[in-house]
Amino acid sequence: KSNTAEPSDLWEEELNSKSEVVYPNARLDPSIMEVVKVADIDPWKSNTALQFERMGYFCVDTDSTPEKLVFNRTVSLKEEVFKKELSADEEAAIEARRAKAKADLVAKESRMLIEPVNFFQEAEEYKGKYSQFHPETGVPTHAADGTELSKSAMKKLEKEKQKHMKQVMKWKKQKGLA
């Protein structure tokens, strides 16, 4: 037994009002006229079917004339099948994700502009954590409270600086700045 409701006598009112989309100024390649023969259009047989890029599969409608072709979409492309109207909350969530992605990109761009020797003084996550830095390498030597860092801590920070240098070089190469 099917879960689909049977159409009532008011079936025309039950149709989706958004199911018919008309593009009165659509442009088609003139070669379509070589494939579509208006004289061969028949309401009782399958008419010529075409795939329009990024739109779906269409068949020629019986309302077509040599001056005005009409096509009916028979199959949507997969990516379009899942489109739906979004609620206000969903729209807000998408906008929040876009804003976060944009902010992250701005933060990354500004981070990539930090010279490696100044990395621990200017990068947001290290600001205020260290009070003294090696004059040549810029690697921290003392914590914010003035205590000297251990050799292993300085070695770890040197690795962080090297990692930053590699990221900057890769970023500059991608941007054509290297």
Side-chain angles (χ1 to χ4, degrees), residues 5-168:
E6 290 294 318
S8 68
D9 291 337
L10 305 172
W11 64 270
E12 288 178 321
E13 292 174 17
E14 295 170 359
L15 292 175
N16 180 353
S17 62
K18 297 178 182 177
S19 66
E20 181 178 31
V21 180
V22 177
Y23 298 101
N25 299 318
R27 302 175 129 212
L28 298 173
D29 190 277
S31 64
I32 287 183
M33 291 306 287
E34 297 170 16
V35 178
V36 176
K37 306 287 187 231
V38 177
D40 294 339
I41 296 173
D42 183 346
W44 303 108
K45 68 175 185 132
S46 294
N47 294 309
T48 306
L50 303 163
Q51 179 185 3
F52 295 157
E53 278 189 53
R54 298 186 191 95
M55 296 289 290
Y57 292 89
F58 293 76
C59 65
V60 180
D61 190 276
T62 54
D63 292 339
S64 293
T65 65
E67 297 80 34
K68 179 180 166 190
L69 293 177
V70 178
F71 295 94
N72 295 322
R73 180 164 43 191
T74 56
V75 179
S76 294
L77 293 182
K78 190 175 186 177
E79 63 195 34
E80 207 170 288
V81 170
F82 298 105
K83 286 187 178 178
K84 64 173 187 165
E85 299 225 359
L86 301 175
S87 69
D89 289 343
E90 291 170 320
E91 296 258 357
I94 290 170
E95 191 55 41
R97 280 196 302 273
R98 284 186 186 140
K100 183 185 181 315
K102 188 175 182 178
D104 290 347
L105 182 62
V106 168
K108 180 181 178 183
E109 296 269 331
S110 64
R111 182 183 175 93
M112 293 299 117
L113 296 174
I114 298 173
E115 290 296 324
V117 74
N118 298 326
F119 181 62
F120 296 103
Q121 296 170 36
E122 296 178 12
E124 287 298 320
E125 69 267 30
Y126 295 112
K127 281 186 179 176
K129 286 189 173 184
Y130 306 105
S131 61
Q132 293 180 30
F133 305 87
H134 189 280
E136 294 172 16
T137 64
V139 174
T141 56
H142 292 76
D145 64 4
T147 58
E148 189 173 349
L149 298 177
S150 67
K151 288 199 184 277
S152 64
M154 287 191 283
K155 191 173 183 178
K156 188 175 182 181
L157 291 169
E158 178 61 39
K159 284 184 179 182
E160 281 296 312
K161 180 184 154 196
Q162 294 297 324
K163 182 178 169 185
H164 174 68
M165 288 172 63
K166 285 181 183 177
Q167 289 173 337
V168 168

